[in-house]
């Protein structure tokens, strides 16, 4: 199962959201702390201003009454706070200390009795009475903290912009990853547009150059193999004609058999050199496998028995020419090196469609499995004289990879070789479906 967080875009998105969350919450708490400090300083200045205003009012207009919540109390009154911090909340303690630092030296500052609305008692050395003024709330209540609203708006806009930038950065890498996958399967890869940061443009440019050089090398090799194979057809045809004219039947049959083996090798060269896309009509694999198995029994009556176990649905389709080449190479390989019975199986699995061919022979030595699909490699040196060039399994793997599938070669626990090919569910492009159904 593919995990979104495992992609480059997913990790960039997680990084962006994490960094923005951390920075915004740090900014929010810093602003809250600064705002609280500003409110405390404002309350201190307001209290000092109010005390000074009361003092000037008493000095200039002693006959005028004071506001209802402001009063003057004699130092001998029993209402004067005795001092001490018992029962006083920490914010009020800090507020009292800040006011004391704001007043002239020697000023007495006290907070009223706990449990009542807080009031501030102030008495400078020159004052005859205590000045009692109300204390404004240090944390005025708010119905809605607009800072949170702005924080959410800025965070959302930042996340959207950052994710868009991450998506723009990820797109060239995604195109490059798809092109690498197509190139690894042997499919044609058009040149990629060079975009993104400088390092990514350089990487794309290097990949385009590599694809061009490899494609040119493959093209030259294919032309060379096809030319050699094509040029050999004419002398082989003349050799067969001359062999048919021989009087010695025993010698004639041997020469004809050798010419047929050489012709088979030439045909394998041509198939291996063919690098184009198969444009033949897609057919249901189950139906085609049954048909090929019947024809193989009829044409090669002495070959090992071919059994079928076809359990894929009709949606499993492959191009006709490719499927014929795959099955003919695998059945010929089983006939030459395996033992009966030969089993052709199809199935639908969660990973895709599976086509497999297995025999009951001796299999391949485990140390030689890795080299089984290398071209021109014969695992048994004694197999060189029967028209086999070491291209059969290499051709099968190349054809499977060209269709976007995967080829796995291994020995069965009960004995014999098993070639298992897994194809994606969309192995046949949607554009080819109507053409296939019309047939």
């Amino acid at each position: 199962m593919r995990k979104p967080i495992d992609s480059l875009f997913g990790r960039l998105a997680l990084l962006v959201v994490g960094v923005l969350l951390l920075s915004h919450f740090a900014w929010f708490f810093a602003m809250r702390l600064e705002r609280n400090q500003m409110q405390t300083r404002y309350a201190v200045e307001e209290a000092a201003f109010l005390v000074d205003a009361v003092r000037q009012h008493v000095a200039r207009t002693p006959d005028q009454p004071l506001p209802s919540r402001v009063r003057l109390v004699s130092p001998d009154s029993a209402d004067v706070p005795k001092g001490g911090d018992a029962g006083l909340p920490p914010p009020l303690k800090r507020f009292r200390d800040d006011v004391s630092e704001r007043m002239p030296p020697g000023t007495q500052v006290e907070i009223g009795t706990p449990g009542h609305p807080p009031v501030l008692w102030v008495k400078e050395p020159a004052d005859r009475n205590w000045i009692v003024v109300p204390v404004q709330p240090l944390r005025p209540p708010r119905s809605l903290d607009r800072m949170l609203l702005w924080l959410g708006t800025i965070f959302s806009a930042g996340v959207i912009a950052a994710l868009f930038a991450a998506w723009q950065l990820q797109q060239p890498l995604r195109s490059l990853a798809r092109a690498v996958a197509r190139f690894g399967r042997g499919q044609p890869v058009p040149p990629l547009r060079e975009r993104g940061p400088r390092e990514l443009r350089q990487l794309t440019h290097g990949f385009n150059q590599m694809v061009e050089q490899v494609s040119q090398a493959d093209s030259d090799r294919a032309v060379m193999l096809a030319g050699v194979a094509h040029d050999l057809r004419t002398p082989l045809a003349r050799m067969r004609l001359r062999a048919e004219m021989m009087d010695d039947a025993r010698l004639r049959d041997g020469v004809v058999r050798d010419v047929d083996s050489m012709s088979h090798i030439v045909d394998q060269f041509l198939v291996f050199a063919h690098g184009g896309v198969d444009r033949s009509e897609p057919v249901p694999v189950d139906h085609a496998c049954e048909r090929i198995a019947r024809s193989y029994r009829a044409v090669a009556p002495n070959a090992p028995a071919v059994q079928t176990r076809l359990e894929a649905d009709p949606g499993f389709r492959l191009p006709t020419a490719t499927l014929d080449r795959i099955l003919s190479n695998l059945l010929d390989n089983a006939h030459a090196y395996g033992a009966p019975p030969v089993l052709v199986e199809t199935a639908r699995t969660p990973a895709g469609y599976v086509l497999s061919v297995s025999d009951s022979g001796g299999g391949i030595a485990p140390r030689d499995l890795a080299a089984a699909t290398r071209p021109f490699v014969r695992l048994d040196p004694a197999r060189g004289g029967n028209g086999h060039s070491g291209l059969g399994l290499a051709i099968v793997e190349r054809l499977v990879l060209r269709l976007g599938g995967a080829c796995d070669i291994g020995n069965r626990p009960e004995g014999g070789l098993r070639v298992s090919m897994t194809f994606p569910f969309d192995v046949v492009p949607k554009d080819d479906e109507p053409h296939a159904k019309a047939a």
Side-chain angles (χ1 to χ4, degrees):
M1 182 179 180
R2 300 178 62 182
K3 300 179 179 179
I5 199 63
D6 195 40
S7 65
L8 175 63
F9 179 75
R11 297 192 178 188
L12 284 176
L14 182 63
L15 177 63
V16 165
V17 172
V19 170
L20 288 178
L21 276 176
L22 181 63
S23 62
H24 278 69
F25 274 110
W27 172 80
F28 173 73
F29 287 117
M31 291 296 294
R32 286 294 297 267
L33 179 61
E34 180 65 21
R35 187 176 64 178
N36 292 339
Q37 292 176 351
M38 290 179 62
Q39 290 175 350
T40 302
R41 288 196 297 269
Y42 176 79
V44 170
E45 293 296 330
E46 185 181 30
F49 174 79
L50 184 58
V51 169
D52 186 63
V54 171
R55 186 177 293 111
Q56 292 182 14
H57 175 81
V58 172
R60 296 177 182 178
T61 56
D63 298 334
Q64 296 293 330
L66 294 171
S68 59
R69 298 183 60 187
V70 177
R71 56 196 175 99
L72 299 176
V73 179
S74 172
D76 300 331
S77 173
D79 295 336
V80 176
K82 302 302 182 182
D85 296 338
L88 199 62
L92 288 178
K93 292 180 183 178
R94 290 193 296 270
F95 176 72
R96 181 198 60 190
D97 295 339
D98 291 342
V99 173
S100 179
E101 293 177 359
R102 175 67 175 76
M103 296 296 176
T107 303
Q108 302 179 49
V109 179
E110 298 292 343
I111 299 295
T113 306
H116 298 82
V119 291
L120 183 67
W121 294 66
V122 179
K123 183 178 182 298
E124 292 185 5
D127 293 336
R128 298 172 55 191
N129 298 311
W130 287 86
I131 301 175
V132 182
V133 296
V135 176
Q136 299 297 325
L138 301 181
R139 304 287 187 273
R142 296 177 177 84
S143 58
L144 176 64
D145 195 335
R146 288 193 296 179
M147 187 181 295
L148 287 176
L149 180 61
W150 280 107
L151 178 67
T153 303
I154 297 173
F155 175 77
S156 301
V159 167
I160 293 174
L163 291 184
F164 179 75
W167 180 79
Q168 289 285 352
L169 179 64
Q170 179 253 1
Q171 283 300 104
L173 283 175
R174 187 176 183 182
S175 301
L176 182 60
R178 290 178 176 176
V180 170
R182 288 178 59 87
F183 182 71
R185 294 195 296 264
Q187 298 175 344
V189 180
L192 297 178
R193 184 162 64 93
E194 299 175 12
R195 52 178 177 163
R198 181 180 67 253
E199 293 81 3
L200 189 54
R201 294 197 305 270
Q202 293 175 347
L203 178 62
T204 306
H205 179 72
F207 175 78
N208 288 335
Q209 284 187 327
M210 181 191 69
V211 170
E212 183 180 359
Q213 293 173 0
V214 172
S215 299
Q216 184 63 38
D218 284 345
S219 178
D220 294 342
R221 182 184 63 176
V223 170
M224 180 189 68
L225 287 176
V228 171
H230 182 270
D231 292 342
L232 286 175
R233 284 183 176 275
T234 300
L236 287 175
R238 288 199 301 264
M239 290 176 61
R240 183 180 180 87
L241 179 61
R242 292 171 181 173
E244 294 289 348
M245 298 173 63
M246 290 182 179
D247 296 331
D248 190 342
R250 189 172 181 180
L251 181 60
R252 181 180 65 244
D253 293 342
V255 174
V256 169
R257 189 162 51 248
D258 290 341
V259 171
D260 290 341
S261 297
M262 295 174 67
S263 298
H264 178 72
I265 293 176
V266 170
D267 292 337
Q268 292 286 75
F269 279 161
L270 290 174
V271 172
F272 185 77
H274 176 70
V277 178
D278 188 358
R279 301 294 183 183
S280 60
E281 175 185 348
V283 294
V285 174
D286 288 359
H287 177 73
C289 288
E290 186 61 40
R291 173 181 56 80
I292 293 174
R294 284 199 308 267
S295 63
Y296 195 84
R297 299 188 196 105
V299 173
N302 296 326
V306 178
Q307 302 177 357
T308 56
R309 187 181 300 158
L310 309 174
E311 299 177 354
D313 55 58
F316 184 19
R317 295 172 174 269
L318 291 177
T320 305
T322 298
L323 181 59
D324 288 345
R325 289 169 183 167
I326 290 174
L327 288 179
S328 62
N329 276 283
L330 292 178
L331 291 177
D332 288 345
N333 190 76
H335 171 61
Y337 310 122
V342 177
L343 179 62
V344 179
E345 298 178 277
T346 62
R348 180 188 174 97
T349 67
Y353 292 113
V354 176
L355 169 63
S356 64
V357 177
S358 55
D359 61 63
S360 303
I364 298 177
R367 66 178 182 277
D368 295 331
L369 285 174
T373 57
R374 292 175 58 187
F376 308 108
V377 173
R378 290 190 294 269
L379 303 179
D380 185 357
R383 294 176 177 177
N386 295 320
H388 296 280
S389 58
L391 285 174
L393 294 179
I395 291 173
V396 169
E397 184 181 50
R398 172 173 286 199
L399 294 174
V400 172
L401 291 177
R402 193 174 294 162
L403 292 174
C407 185
D408 180 60
I409 301 176
N411 295 316
R412 299 196 304 165
E414 59 270 24
L417 184 69
R418 174 185 173 88
V419 180
S420 178
M421 298 151 284
T422 304
F423 299 91
F425 292 116
D426 57 348
V427 60
V428 175
K430 297 300 181 181
D431 295 342
D432 292 343
E433 290 290 341
H435 178 69
K437 292 180 180 179

